[in-house]
């Protein structure tokens, strides 16, 4: 009985710990990606944005373990579109896409944060 | 196609492990909280099984949380009767000395038909013979019959029936169920029993059970 109770408490604590780790990881990654995108967008720097997207693509498999895939795919798609607009010097469309991706990253970063909005 | 298959298998093992971890109970013996958790686990697990866009963790974490909470709460309720009463409730007496407590029935929201059905399932057809009937916390009715209405036991009759042993299944559906009968000595006896009952081989026998004394249950396999 004691072993079962200890295992249950351990599982419960592990679930909480895993939840906190996932939230912190997602928040840090999204903050970093957002800041990279922002600096690349300010200078309309294609190479910087391209390397940011590559960095994002590398993190997608880890992020997919705890964030709904549709949110992640949305960011990947917007970044691809933004890169295409930047390559064609369409800055108006590019700025719009950047605005969208920043919002989408905010949604991902706050997705698992236990806020009132998320809880109810 | 492969992804839902693998995800379902993962969830299957998580659920099996979780249910084993919770403890062995039949559905009918579950306390209300346990039944709710079992239903919740099956509902929670089905979502990531079908929706591969949802991370698998979103199905596993709620299952772990539910099972852990159940184990912790049930362990705590073992030590704290007040908590146990709060979670599981307490038995309610419905019949005392053959009289039905209608208020208790209203509280439990059970009809007279439900009560009579439960009594019949307990082989009770005459309400007057019931000394006490209680609705247990798991929803089952426990019945105590008046001593005067009970059939006499061997002890009452002061007789000593010969002790009976349980029957051990030796052959089940043409297969040797008890492997100890594969030994040469027992095998010889087994084949003599099979031959006496009109069969030739083990595969011809549907059921052979033996109580270790002299009683044998034999059923030949139908073609």
């Amino acid at each position: 009985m004691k072993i079962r109770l200890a295992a249950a408490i351990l599982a419960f604590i592990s679930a909480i710990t895993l939840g906190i780790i996932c939230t912190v990881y997602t928040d840090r990654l999204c903050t970093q990606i957002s800041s990279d995108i922002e600096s690349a967008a300010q200078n309309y720097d294609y190479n910087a944005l391209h390397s940011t997207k590559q960095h994002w693509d590398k993190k997608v498999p880890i992020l997919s373990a705890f964030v709904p895939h549709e949110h992640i795919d949305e960011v990947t798609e917007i970044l691809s579109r933004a890169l295409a607009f930047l390559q064609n010097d369409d800055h108006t469309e590019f700025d719009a896409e950047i605005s969208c991706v920043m919002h989408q990253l905010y949604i991902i970063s706050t997705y698992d944060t236990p806020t009132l909005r998320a809880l109810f | 196609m492969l992804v839902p298959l693998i995800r379902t298998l993962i969830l299957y093992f998580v659920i099996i492990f979780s249910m084993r971890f919770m403890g062995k109970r039949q559905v009918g013996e579950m306390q209300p909280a346990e039944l709710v958790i079992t239903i919740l686990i099956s509902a929670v697990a089905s979502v990531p099984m079908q929706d591969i866009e949802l991370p698998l963790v979103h199905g596993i974490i709620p299952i772990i949380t539910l099972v852990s909470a159940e184990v912790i709460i049930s362990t705590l309720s073992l030590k704290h009767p007040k908590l146990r009463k709060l979670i599981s409730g307490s038995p309610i007496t419905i019949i005392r000395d053959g009289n039905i407590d209608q208020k208790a029935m209203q509280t439990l929201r059970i009809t007279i038909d439900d009560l009579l059905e439960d009594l019949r399932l307990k082989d009770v057809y005459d309400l007057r013979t019931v000394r006490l009937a209680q609705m247990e916390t798991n929803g089952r009715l426990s019945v105590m019959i008046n001593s005067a209405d009970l059939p006499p036991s061997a002890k009452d009759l002061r007789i000593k029936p010969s002790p009976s042993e349980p029957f051990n299944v030796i052959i089940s559906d043409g297969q040797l169920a008890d492997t100890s009968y594969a030994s040469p000595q027992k095998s010889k006896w087994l084949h003599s029993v099979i031959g006496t009952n009109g069969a030739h081989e083990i595969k011809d026998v549907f059921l052979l059970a033996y109580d270790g004394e002299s009683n044998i249950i034999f059923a030949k396999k139908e073609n």
Side-chain angles (χ1 to χ4, degrees):
Chain A
M1 183 54 85
K2 278 183 182 173
I3 296 170
R4 191 171 287 214
L5 179 65
I9 293 168
L10 189 72
F12 194 65
I13 293 167
S14 303
I16 294 170
T17 313
L18 185 71
I20 294 167
I21 291 170
C22 292
T23 309
V24 171
Y25 178 84
T26 313
D27 187 46
R28 280 188 186 170
L29 180 71
C30 288
T31 309
Q32 191 200 334
I33 296 282
S34 298
S35 133
D36 290 352
I37 291 172
E38 209 170 5
S39 62
Q42 273 172 359
N43 305 317
Y44 295 108
D45 187 345
Y46 179 87
N47 291 331
L49 192 65
H50 190 260
S51 66
T52 305
K53 189 182 174 288
Q54 280 181 327
H55 179 55
W56 169 259
D57 289 341
K58 273 183 198 168
K59 300 289 179 187
V60 162
I62 305 166
L63 215 55
S64 300
F66 39 85
V67 174
H69 304 178
E70 57 190 286
H71 291 317
I72 299 167
D73 295 344
E74 185 80 23
V75 172
T76 312
E77 278 174 30
I78 299 170
L79 278 175
S80 299
R81 278 203 302 271
L83 277 167
F85 285 128
L86 189 59
Q87 205 168 22
N88 295 325
D89 285 331
D90 190 343
H91 289 181
T92 317
E93 290 286 355
F94 173 77
D95 288 342
E97 295 293 352
I98 291 299
S99 176
C100 278
V101 82
M102 297 299 265
H103 181 68
Q104 197 62 37
L105 283 166
Y106 171 75
I107 290 171
I108 292 173
S109 70
T110 56
Y111 178 78
D112 214 15
T113 311
T115 56
L116 279 176
R117 181 182 171 270
L119 291 172
F120 300 103
Chain B
M1 199 74 116
L2 274 175
V3 175
L5 189 142
I6 295 164
R7 285 166 73 102
T8 306
L9 279 175
I10 293 168
L11 284 163
Y12 169 78
F13 287 114
V14 169
I15 296 165
I16 294 291
F17 177 76
S18 305
M19 298 307 282
R20 289 280 295 117
F21 187 67
M22 263 171 64
K24 214 181 213 176
R25 284 225 198 200
Q26 297 293 320
V27 174
E29 295 167 358
M30 282 180 179
Q31 294 293 331
E34 291 170 332
L35 186 68
V36 167
I37 284 177
T38 310
I39 294 166
L40 275 177
I41 287 174
S42 56
V44 160
S46 68
V47 178
M49 263 185 210
Q50 294 161 354
D51 187 1
I52 59 165
E53 287 294 310
L54 211 64
L56 199 57
V57 177
H58 285 208
I60 294 171
I61 291 291
I63 293 172
I64 292 172
T65 311
L66 283 170
V67 171
S68 303
E70 161 60 19
V71 171
I72 293 166
I73 298 289
S74 59
T75 311
L76 285 175
S77 66
L78 272 178
K79 290 178 182 173
H80 303 283
K82 279 185 181 175
L83 182 69
R84 185 163 63 234
K85 202 177 168 185
L86 185 76
I87 292 169
S88 304
S90 39
I92 295 174
T93 304
I94 302 176
I95 304 170
R96 192 184 287 275
D97 296 323
N99 296 312
I100 299 170
D101 185 340
Q102 293 183 29
K103 272 192 177 176
M105 283 182 66
Q106 280 174 0
T107 311
L108 290 163
R109 290 191 299 279
I110 59 165
T111 62
I112 187 72
D113 295 331
D114 296 333
L115 179 64
L116 292 174
E117 186 184 323
D118 278 350
L119 286 172
R120 284 197 298 273
L121 287 167
K122 294 270 179 187
D123 294 327
V124 179
Y125 290 86
D126 187 349
L127 261 174
R128 294 168 300 176
T129 61
V130 178
R131 165 108 172 76
L132 192 77
Q134 285 188 317
M135 185 61 80
E136 301 295 346
T137 53
N138 60 10
R140 287 188 169 191
L141 189 74
S142 59
V143 181
M144 186 189 179
I145 303 291
N146 286 320
S147 317
D149 295 308
L150 285 170
S153 66
K155 200 178 166 185
D156 295 331
L157 297 170
R158 294 184 186 179
I159 54 169
K160 281 190 179 174
S162 53
S164 57
E165 291 295 321
F167 277 89
N168 176 31
V169 176
I170 300 166
I171 300 172
S172 168
D173 203 6
Q175 302 258 325
L176 195 64
D178 188 341
T179 47
S180 72
Y181 282 83
S183 69
Q185 204 177 4
K186 283 187 172 180
S187 177
K188 200 177 169 186
W189 172 85
L190 184 64
H191 280 91
S192 74
V193 171
I194 294 169
T196 316
N197 285 282
H200 299 288
E201 290 177 78
I202 290 173
K203 65 177 177 145
D204 302 328
V205 182
F206 184 68
L207 174 71
L208 175 61
Y210 179 51
D211 69 349
E213 301 288 326
S214 55
N215 300 312
I216 286 167
I217 301 170
F218 187 91
K220 203 175 168 183
K221 208 169 181 181
E222 290 172 3
N223 291 324

